């Protein structure tokens, strides 16, 4: 078992959650239960799956939760693209967040690969 609060992959995901909430506040009101909600739930899912995975008794089970976290990261990236395509965020913010989510995806993949099969 791991202490999720000490994991860099968890802490950086929590920063993404804050960033997601920050940018979605400026989305149009009609997106409250659409893209805004979906992006924020997805962002929360990334560190949530990491923390839940740390409670599992084997690395095999932990890897499964990391896989879910990675899936949420890719889903959030897609939603970021939708937000940009709909002109909800600037190109500068899009590029910044796209770089951040790609880094997150690499970190999760790398961490997952580093866990042995026990």
């Amino acid at each position: 078992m791991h202490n999720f609060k000490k994991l860099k992959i968890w802490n950086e995901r929590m920063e993404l959650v804050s960033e997601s909430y920050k940018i979605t506040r400026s989305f149009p009101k009609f997106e409250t239960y659409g893209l805004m909600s979906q992006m924020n739930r997805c962002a929360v899912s990334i560190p949530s799956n990491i923390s839940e995975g740390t409670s599992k008794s084997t690395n095999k089970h932990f890897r499964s939760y990391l896989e879910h976290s990675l899936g949420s990261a890719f889903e959030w990236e897609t939603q970021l693209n939708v937000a940009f395509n709909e002109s909800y965020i600037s190109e500068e913010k899009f590029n910044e967040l796209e770089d951040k989510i790609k880094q997150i995806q690499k970190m999760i993949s790398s961490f997952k690969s580093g866990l042995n099969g026990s």
Side-chain angles (χ1 to χ4, degrees):
M1 290 189 10
H2 302 266
N3 180 343
F4 66 89
K5 290 181 182 178
K6 291 184 178 180
L7 293 174
K8 184 177 181 181
I9 63 167
W10 182 81
N11 282 298
E12 292 196 10
R13 267 30 71 199
M14 291 299 289
E15 291 173 17
L16 182 73
V17 171
S18 294
E19 190 69 41
S20 184
Y21 275 90
K22 199 178 302 175
I23 65 165
T24 59
R25 282 188 195 106
S26 67
F27 286 10
K29 188 77 172 153
F30 68 83
E31 287 289 8
T32 300
Y33 301 106
L35 187 61
M36 182 187 301
S37 174
Q38 186 65 25
M39 278 187 86
N40 290 331
R41 285 184 290 126
C42 201
V44 168
S45 176
I46 299 169
S48 295
N49 275 295
I50 292 168
S51 61
E52 187 172 0
T54 63
S55 73
K56 302 307 170 190
S57 58
T58 67
N59 283 341
K60 180 181 178 183
H61 288 108
F62 188 12
R63 277 196 312 275
S64 176
Y65 281 87
L66 290 171
E67 193 74 31
H68 292 296
S69 180
L70 185 59
S72 292
F74 278 98
E75 185 179 351
W76 193 87
E77 182 183 3
T78 297
Q79 295 158 2
L80 179 67
N81 277 273
V82 171
F84 177 67
N85 291 342
E86 294 300 315
S87 301
Y88 297 164
I89 58 174
S90 69
E91 185 172 1
E92 181 182 351
K93 182 53 86 172
F94 171 76
N95 290 333
E96 173 193 328
L97 292 173
E98 185 179 46
D99 287 345
K100 187 177 281 190
I101 195 65
K102 287 182 181 297
Q103 191 62 29
I104 286 168
Q105 292 161 354
K106 288 177 189 173
M107 288 176 71
I108 295 170
S109 292
S110 193
F111 188 84
K112 186 172 73 79
S113 295
L115 291 175
N116 62 29
S118 62

